[in-house]
Amino acid sequence: MQTLAALDYAIILVYLIGTLALGLYIGSKIKTGSDYFLAGRRLPWWAIGMSLVATDIGAVDIVGTGGAAYQHGMAVGNFEWIGCVPAMIIGAFVFIPFFWRSGVYTIPEYMERRFNVAVRSALAVCWIIFMACNLGIMLLASAKMMHVHLGMTVNQCIYLTAFLVGVYTISGGLAAVVYTDMIQCIVMIGGCLLVLVLGVIDLGGIESFHTKIKAQEQIQRQKQVADTAKEKTASAAQGELHTSLILPADADTPFPWTGIFFGLALILSPSYWIGNQAIVQRSLGARSEFDAKAAYIWGALLKNLIPVIVAVPGLIAFVKFPELTDGDQAFPELISHLLPVGLKGLFLAAFLAALMSSIDSYLNSASTIVTNDFYKRFYRKNASDESLLKIGRIVTLLLVFWAIGFSFFLMSRSEGIYTIFQTLMAFFQGPALAILLTGLLWKRATGIAAFIGFFTGVCFSITLFTLNQEPVYTALGIDPLFQISEPFLYFSIWAFVVSFSLIVIISFLTKPEPSEKIEGLVFGTKSQKRIG
Amino acid sequence: MTPLHHIGNFIRDLVVQIPLWCVRALFVGTLIAVFLWVLRLPRETTTPENATHWYQNLKVWACLALAIQILIYSIF
């Protein structure tokens, strides 16, 4: 096991001190809740765009996507390509300007204006659970990798990361998050690019890499053919190439084209880019409507690069270390073997950057939801902007403690990091998209229908997940519902279909919302001016 | 077997029949549809007020991002 040299530590230290200093400097300018949660609505497009990418590509993705690419091939790149770019562009021109003009702090807040408080609370609770769990997952992902290189225990790694992110997020709120994310985005792309370039050089160049991966694919395919337990069609075996983005529907992978297209591109991705508080909150803090749109387009352009620097190293590991049993070890192994002194420190700084940029965003957004959708909504309706700042900081601190505790809990689990993350999202992203689309696009959608549709959709996806667990279907004496190993993309499709259908049916059976209530909140109603 | 199993098996049998070239056409076609939609957006929704240069039009950059996607999904 290789450890870091003094130069590596120096590079990491410089990066960490720089990030902390910037966060604390921005924190010194924060005076109100609006400054804290929406950066005083003064953010430029270039900073938001890079922050969007940095938030979306966390340490979970570097380790998890690299690991998934190692195990299942380039199809994991779909999450950053068709799973991001079209939704970001449609979001930029259609949905984001709409939210920006409404002047809301959170997406659940919009839901109360459009539907009712029950829909707002249900959505806010789901986001809080998702973000809180994610905080723990992200801390654990970092610890899994850092303890190998830093010579620290997993617990020490968790404490260190939580402390660093906590300090600048508590101090500077959204502005600190966005501007540090911007630096983290540059460091992260630079660091991952380094691993990619050195990896390709190590394999003898692009041509040699291409030849070696084809050879490795042949070996893998021969193994699959020899495996009589797996009954595949000839087309499925032929289509399952490590370099293919589009995999057959019956392929032995979590990423068959049906899940990618219907589950990811049509459901999870739009739901994430137009309904995820941690993502949308940045554009709500934009200094103008144009900046809010431009940030998403800039982010979409950067997204084109991400699978190349994150997933391709997984393919390099596939060629270089074909004997690995755990895909999540692909990236750490590459770093151990490829990077010399100094560059290893730079990559670890990049990894820390990816980790911090996601944790700080979820901390800030979870705090925004707790403060605005629960504290202000139910406890202190007339709370001053200054008191909201204080509450926001306290909530952020409590969330840091929670994240530490939850990451310790997760340590005893063995499931792949990426799978846990995606399954959590898939439980409610489909129903969330159903209420968002019907709320924004259909005047006839009612609050009761939205609540029942959302609640039933979430319960339905959890039921599908439960029925697909081996102890459950064995006890019930039935076959698993889904035949692929990790069917999280399918949960979101069916949950969306159930929610959407229920919302439409129940809306027709219930009294329409008064037109004055939904004015300016639905497309086709009176056009909005910026509120607040 | 529950009714959900029957529905699932029916859909699975159906989609397995679709050849991969059709699927590729679906992916690329979707991206082209978004590309054309962006091209048709009115100029006032894609440029800031008082814009004087072509590069201030977001349509250009959105189309570039989508063109890269179309290329990627056509090849891989």
Side-chain angles (χ1 to χ4, degrees):
Chain A
M1 190 79 57
Q2 295 177 32
T3 51
L4 298 183
L7 181 61
D8 295 312
Y9 283 112
I11 289 171
I12 295 172
L13 204 63
V14 167
Y15 162 73
L16 291 177
I17 290 171
T19 304
L20 267 183
L22 179 65
L24 289 171
Y25 170 75
I26 292 167
S28 69
K29 310 273 181 194
I30 302 294
K31 302 288 180 231
T32 67
S34 172
D35 289 343
Y36 191 72
F37 298 117
L38 292 184
R41 293 191 167 113
R42 289 189 294 267
L43 294 172
W45 63 266
W46 42 270
I48 301 173
M50 294 178 89
S51 175
L52 286 173
V53 174
T55 299
D56 188 42
I57 303 300
V60 174
D61 294 87
I62 291 185
V63 174
T65 306
Y70 178 90
Q71 284 182 316
H72 307 291
M74 267 308 282
V76 72
N78 283 302
F79 283 84
E80 308 301 326
W81 282 335
I82 204 158
C84 285
V85 176
M88 289 178 86
I89 287 170
I90 294 171
F93 293 123
V94 180
F95 298 102
I96 296 305
F98 201 78
F99 290 135
W100 187 87
R101 285 196 296 269
S102 73
V104 293
Y105 275 61
T106 66
I107 299 298
E109 188 184 342
Y110 167 81
M111 286 299 168
E112 181 174 7
R113 290 192 197 176
R114 172 62 182 88
F115 292 122
N116 55 43
V117 68
V119 179
R120 175 183 188 168
S121 303
L123 190 61
V125 165
C126 283
W127 276 118
I128 280 297
I129 292 171
F130 168 69
M131 289 177 181
C133 291
N134 251 289
L135 287 169
I137 292 167
M138 290 170 193
L139 278 180
L140 184 59
S142 72
K144 263 186 148 187
M145 183 173 172
M146 284 199 298
H147 85 278
V148 176
H149 299 280
L150 292 179
M152 296 165 78
T153 66
V154 173
N155 290 12
Q156 285 169 334
C157 290
I158 289 173
Y159 286 130
L160 176 72
T161 315
F163 170 76
L164 290 167
V165 178
V167 167
Y168 76 79
T169 309
I170 291 167
S171 168
L174 184 66
V177 168
V178 168
Y179 286 110
T180 52
D181 277 4
M182 198 184 70
I183 295 172
Q184 285 156 1
C185 183
I186 296 165
V187 174
M188 184 181 71
I189 289 176
C192 290
L193 209 54
L194 191 70
V195 175
L196 174 72
V197 172
L198 290 178
V200 171
I201 292 171
D202 186 71
L203 292 178
I206 293 174
E207 203 58 42
S208 171
F209 173 42
H210 186 73
T211 312
K212 283 177 180 169
I213 202 162
K214 290 286 172 202
Q216 194 58 38
E217 276 174 343
Q218 284 293 339
I219 294 167
Q220 195 190 44
R221 202 178 301 155
Q222 281 163 7
K223 274 184 193 168
Q224 285 175 348
V225 169
D227 187 358
T228 50
K230 287 178 184 173
E231 292 178 7
K232 286 173 183 294
T233 64
S235 66
Q238 188 62 34
E240 284 176 52
L241 297 174
H242 247 65
T243 45
S244 300
L245 281 172
I246 300 170
L247 299 178
D250 57 347
D252 184 25
T253 164
F255 318 121
W257 75 264
T258 40
I260 292 295
F261 188 78
F262 296 109
L264 176 66
L266 298 187
I267 310 287
L268 280 181
S269 170
S271 180
Y272 185 84
W273 289 102
I274 64 173
N276 185 338
Q277 177 63 28
I279 295 296
V280 176
Q281 191 171 341
R282 274 142 189 67
S283 53
L284 297 178
R287 63 188 173 193
S288 71
E289 187 179 326
F290 176 79
D291 281 80
K293 290 178 193 173
Y296 263 57
I297 303 297
W298 172 221
L301 272 167
L302 287 174
K303 273 287 179 187
N304 277 297
L305 180 67
I306 301 301
V308 179
I309 60 166
V310 176
V312 175
L315 296 185
I316 294 170
F318 173 68
V319 174
K320 203 168 162 55
F321 316 110
E323 72 289 348
L324 289 181
T325 50
D326 181 8
D328 288 347
Q329 285 303 314
F331 236 106
E333 282 293 329
L334 276 181
I335 294 154
S336 281
H337 288 83
L338 287 179
L339 301 189
V341 170
L343 293 184
K344 198 180 281 183
L346 183 65
F347 179 79
L348 278 179
F351 180 80
L352 277 168
L355 169 76
M356 291 162 82
S357 62
S358 297
I359 294 186
D360 62 13
S361 304
Y362 280 103
L363 271 179
N364 183 251
S365 294
S367 165
T368 308
I369 286 180
V370 172
T371 308
N372 288 282
D373 295 310
F374 295 108
Y375 176 79
K376 190 181 174 193
R377 174 64 183 81
F378 295 110
Y379 188 64
R380 289 274 165 85
K381 282 197 173 180
N382 299 317
S384 67
D385 222 16
E386 287 72 22
S387 70
L388 289 178
L389 169 63
K390 190 176 158 190
I391 294 298
R393 282 178 164 156
I394 292 170
V395 171
T396 310
L397 179 65
L398 293 175
L399 283 165
V400 172
F401 289 131
W402 155 266
I404 295 169
F406 190 64
S407 63
F408 288 153
F409 166 77
L410 280 174
M411 265 185 231
S412 56
R413 311 287 292 180
S414 60
E415 203 177 349
I417 295 166
Y418 200 68
T419 308
I420 300 172
F421 177 73
Q422 290 294 344
T423 306
L424 268 177
M425 275 213 306
F427 284 157
F428 72 98
Q429 290 281 70
L433 182 66
I435 55 172
L436 206 58
L437 288 184
T438 51
L440 281 164
L441 303 176
W442 192 38
K443 283 187 274 189
R444 189 64 182 78
T446 66
I448 296 169
F451 181 73
I452 296 173
F454 181 74
F455 185 75
T456 312
V458 173
C459 292
F460 188 74
S461 55
I462 293 172
T463 306
L464 291 180
F465 175 77
T466 309
L467 283 176
N468 219 54
Q469 299 305 300
E470 193 175 351
V472 177
Y473 64 71
T474 308
L476 293 173
I478 57 173
D479 291 331
L481 277 174
F482 301 99
Q483 290 182 2
I484 61 171
S485 53
E486 293 154 10
F488 55 87
L489 290 171
Y490 290 134
F491 301 154
S492 57
I493 303 173
W494 293 113
F496 174 81
V497 171
V498 167
S499 287
F500 189 84
S501 308
L502 276 176
I503 292 170
V504 171
I505 294 165
I506 298 170
S507 290
F508 280 123
L509 298 174
T510 48
K511 200 176 153 191
E513 303 285 355
S515 55
E516 61 271 16
K517 182 189 167 187
I518 61 170
E519 207 167 76
L521 296 172
V522 185
F523 282 104
T525 59
K526 192 177 164 186
S527 70
Q528 290 174 305
K529 296 285 178 203
R530 174 69 192 256
I531 303 165
Chain B
M1 294 279 275
T2 64
L4 285 176
H5 285 82
H6 289 293
I7 297 169
N9 287 342
F10 172 75
I11 296 171
R12 195 178 300 114
D13 292 342
L14 209 65
V15 295
V16 163
Q17 305 302 320
I18 303 173
L20 276 186
W21 67 265
C22 278
V23 177
R24 189 176 299 280
L26 176 71
F27 275 66
V28 175
T30 305
L31 291 163
I32 291 173
V34 180
F35 184 93
L36 294 175
W37 172 74
V38 171
L39 281 180
R40 288 169 57 89
L41 286 170
R43 192 178 156 81
E44 58 270 21
T45 63
T46 62
T47 48
E49 287 176 24
N50 308 320
T52 51
H53 297 96
W54 63 269
Y55 55 78
Q56 290 174 297
N57 190 344
L58 294 178
K59 205 184 274 193
V60 175
W61 304 109
C63 283
L64 176 64
L66 286 165
I68 297 170
Q69 286 292 293
I70 291 166
L71 189 69
I72 288 168
Y73 279 92
S74 300
I75 296 171
F76 299 102

